[in-house]
Amino acid sequence: MDLTKAFDTFQQTVNADIEQVRLARERRDAFKGALKGEPGVLEVFGSGSLARSTQLKPVHDVDLIMVFDAAAYPEWGQPGDSSAGALEVVREMVKRLLGDSGGTVEELVRLAKPRDRAVKCFIDPPEQDDAFTVDVMPVLRQADNTLLVPSKRKECWSTADPEYLIAQVKERQENWSYFRPTVRVLKLWRHGVPTKVKSLVMEVLALKCLPTDTTRPQALKAFFTAAAVEVNYGVVDPAGHCGVIQPDLDTEALRTALESARDIAEEACAAAADGDSDGAALLWRELFGDDLPAPEEKSSGTAAGSFLYVPRPVVDAPQG
Amino acid sequence: MNTNGEVPVSWWECEPRRLARDQHEVAKLFPELTWCGEGAGRWEGRLPRWPFHRPEPTGLAELVGQDGMPIRVQYGHAYPMVPPAIFPLDPKPELIEYRQTRFHVMGDGSLCLLQDYSTWTGRQSVTELLLKAAGWRVEYALLKSGVIESMTINGIVNDASRDHLVEQALEELSPGGGQA
């Protein structure tokens, strides 16, 4: 079978429904449009997986960052209750501009609830499973272009740089058009790991371990091989500000899963190299599930045509 | 002759058509290589300076010399199931460069042209390895000049992304080059 086509078909099942993505972007843009004009607000931009285009279906949340003018809120950025205060400012703005009863710009938000770092704005009923939400985080931009982000729980502000990850993903996508799609595949793969793995963990591992100069099967094999080692060093904020991404990560369980995946990917690549694309497809199915197309059943009749083996070229094969 | 007095059978006695194919393909693309049937056999001679299907970068002859790289292509009796080893003779990689991925040099000084054993199935042409070796010569010059820190993973046979660096490498190597 044609492995490239099989991967393309699989990718379509992994990618979020285009209508879902469009709706999420529309809602994000409604928030941006409403909040941008407020006094004391300098910038409003998207962050999170939707901004990086690495979102996995179903899309049920959008992350927004609001950059406020420090001069308008001089007490922000200080330890104490200014974090809670900043979230309250955002909650009030969202309710006034976008509240479902009397929002002056659009009637969209049923409930705006301050959490630790952001205000969770429910567009669907809050009791609904996977209710669509927009998380709005107030921040201050520092001189070095990093952001000060609040924590209501810790009563402090800390430095973060979500734009760094956005830029890094964009750069890799420019080098290799399959980067973002393959990150989505890896995020889906993590659901089969017998421990909770945050999607951002996979994305950061991909940033370090997913090559951008080869085919998808070879890149996946290289990823699993490198990530099985990399995960032992800890998966930390690539911008170097926020430390470990998932403190409760069961590293051993993830490493074991990555090692198993590496072995299967190696077998699949070897089968493909030997011209056994059906065998390779079955192995990739073992790794990614039944959404990857199965080889066609072989008929037991006589062959319809002559079998021509074309060896894989080596001129562009990886060197050691 | 081994200890039992048996004369070993060469690979081309078992695979005469393969030897004929290699000789035909090599003669066509690499006319400066000469076959020597000693032991398991080898090719000796020079590779072309630029055997690729795109324009040669300006200044390449100045960077690597007019003539292509002299090499020895050493077959083993497990050929064609095991690829031949290609040894660069001038320049010869330094000992410190052996076994370094960024130089693509094996522990015996031959070129590491295939990352995975499974890539070589025994059916491909030896000329593909020779093309990679010709690319290695160019990348080695770029690496030694300091304009790159490591060779590409797949070689430059079909990758033009580093062609423009040849002129930069010449500047680096010129007297006073590379200095701010």
Side-chain angles (χ1 to χ4, degrees):
Chain A
M1 72 181 300
D2 185 335
L3 272 178
T4 304
K5 274 187 188 166
F7 268 91
D8 289 343
T9 306
F10 174 53
Q11 189 70 58
Q12 283 165 10
T13 67
V14 173
N15 293 347
D17 175 52
I18 192 68
E19 285 306 316
Q20 264 190 351
V21 175
R22 193 171 290 136
L23 179 64
R25 290 196 167 131
E26 274 173 19
R27 286 167 167 175
R28 179 198 63 193
D29 292 342
F31 269 71
K32 279 166 77 172
L35 299 169
K36 249 181 183 167
E38 285 296 286
V41 177
L42 301 177
E43 303 166 61
V44 182
F45 60 90
S47 68
S49 61
L50 191 70
R52 298 189 298 271
S53 292
T54 54
Q55 72 282 353
L56 201 56
K57 67 179 180 186
V59 181
H60 52 73
D61 65 343
V62 173
D63 298 300
L64 269 186
I65 287 175
M66 284 178 80
V67 182
F68 282 83
D69 184 354
Y73 298 92
E75 71 282 9
W76 288 15
Q78 304 300 319
D81 57 6
S82 66
S83 298
L87 294 168
E88 190 52 37
V89 167
V90 171
R91 190 195 68 79
E92 185 280 323
M93 275 186 189
V94 168
K95 194 175 170 213
R96 176 166 47 85
L97 300 166
L98 296 157
D100 65 346
S101 51
T104 55
V105 175
E106 206 165 330
E107 296 188 334
L108 202 60
V109 179
R110 294 166 188 263
L111 173 71
K113 208 171 177 180
R115 295 283 172 93
D116 181 36
R117 292 189 181 280
V119 177
K120 197 169 253 318
C121 307
F122 289 85
I123 290 176
D124 291 330
E127 63 278 6
Q128 186 181 307
D129 282 343
D130 278 350
F132 192 97
T133 61
V134 178
D135 290 3
V136 188
M137 181 166 68
V139 305
L140 298 172
R141 194 176 284 286
Q142 302 183 103
D144 64 356
N145 225 26
T146 58
L147 304 176
L148 263 185
V149 303
S151 170
K152 191 169 77 169
R153 205 179 314 126
K154 292 180 183 169
E155 295 192 322
C156 68
W157 294 69
S158 54
T159 298
D161 190 1
E163 289 156 304
Y164 176 83
L165 184 56
I166 293 170
Q168 287 290 307
V169 170
K170 183 171 179 279
E171 187 184 304
R172 277 159 181 73
Q173 178 66 21
E174 282 164 2
N175 289 336
W176 191 48
S177 61
Y178 288 117
F179 186 79
R180 282 172 174 150
T182 307
V183 168
R184 291 183 211 128
V185 166
L186 292 171
K187 283 183 173 185
L188 182 77
W189 171 85
R190 89 187 196 280
H191 291 317
V193 178
T195 185
K196 187 197 169 199
V197 182
K198 282 188 173 177
S199 69
L200 190 58
V201 166
M202 295 312 295
E203 197 158 337
V204 171
L205 281 173
L207 214 57
K208 279 201 163 187
C209 305
L210 184 65
T212 56
D213 58 357
T214 183
T215 62
R216 281 172 289 180
Q218 290 292 341
L220 285 163
K221 183 182 82 165
F223 169 82
F224 288 122
T225 305
V229 176
E230 185 62 38
V231 73
N232 299 298
Y233 297 113
V235 185
V236 299
D237 170 20
H241 299 293
C242 304
V244 175
I245 286 167
Q246 187 182 344
D248 65 346
L249 177 68
D250 184 343
T251 303
E252 199 177 331
L254 178 56
R255 182 183 62 237
T256 303
L258 287 164
E259 285 169 345
S260 300
R262 173 201 63 202
D263 294 345
I264 294 168
E266 274 180 3
E267 259 189 277
C269 287
D274 284 343
D276 180 13
S277 56
D278 285 7
L282 289 171
L283 285 156
W284 287 119
R285 272 167 68 86
E286 196 180 317
L287 199 52
F288 294 125
D290 296 346
D291 284 338
L292 203 134
E296 285 174 19
E297 289 289 328
K298 295 278 188 294
S299 66
S300 54
T302 52
S306 60
F307 174 72
L308 177 65
Y309 179 84
V310 182
R312 194 177 70 158
V314 301
V315 279
D316 295 325
Q319 300 177 181
Chain B
M1 191 178 290
N2 65 17
T3 49
N4 298 328
E6 296 162 333
V7 178
V9 179
S10 66
W11 66 264
W12 59 82
E13 286 178 70
C14 306
E15 305 260 5
R17 284 189 305 172
R18 180 65 193 220
L19 177 63
R21 174 188 155 184
D22 279 20
Q23 289 181 324
H24 171 73
E25 288 174 343
V26 171
K28 199 170 157 189
L29 290 171
F30 303 95
E32 289 188 64
L33 293 180
T34 311
W35 173 253
C36 170
E38 273 179 23
R42 63 181 184 272
W43 293 98
E44 286 178 343
R46 286 182 185 275
L47 291 171
R49 189 175 62 225
W50 188 259
F52 311 127
H53 297 297
R54 60 183 190 275
E56 180 176 321
T58 308
L60 184 67
E62 206 179 330
L63 183 67
V64 301
Q66 285 292 341
D67 302 317
M69 177 170 69
I71 57 163
R72 187 175 86 250
V73 184
Q74 186 63 59
Y75 286 76
H77 281 303
Y79 186 79
M81 285 319 295
V82 174
I86 299 181
F87 291 87
L89 303 180
D90 183 21
K92 275 189 175 175
E94 295 174 48
L95 199 56
I96 198 168
E97 294 161 359
Y98 285 25
R99 299 187 65 204
Q100 284 202 49
T101 299
R102 67 194 191 102
F103 285 94
H104 294 318
V105 178
M106 305 277 266
D108 61 355
S110 65
L111 302 182
C112 188
L113 300 174
L114 298 171
Q115 199 176 80
D116 295 318
Y117 287 118
S118 60
T119 306
W120 179 265
T121 62
R123 299 182 183 94
Q124 295 104 332
S125 170
V126 68
T127 58
E128 294 194 53
L129 297 174
L130 293 169
L131 285 168
K132 281 170 95 75
W136 179 91
R137 171 65 188 104
V138 178
E139 286 203 275
Y140 189 71
L142 296 177
L143 197 47
K144 297 297 270 188
S145 74
V147 296
I148 57 172
E149 287 184 358
S150 63
M151 295 189 181
T152 53
I153 297 294
N154 299 343
I156 61 163
V157 176
N158 292 311
D159 178 2
S161 64
R162 292 190 162 182
D163 293 2
H164 69 286
L165 295 173
V166 168
E167 284 188 282
Q168 207 176 310
L170 277 175
E171 281 172 32
E172 289 289 328
L173 296 170
S174 64
Q179 291 176 23

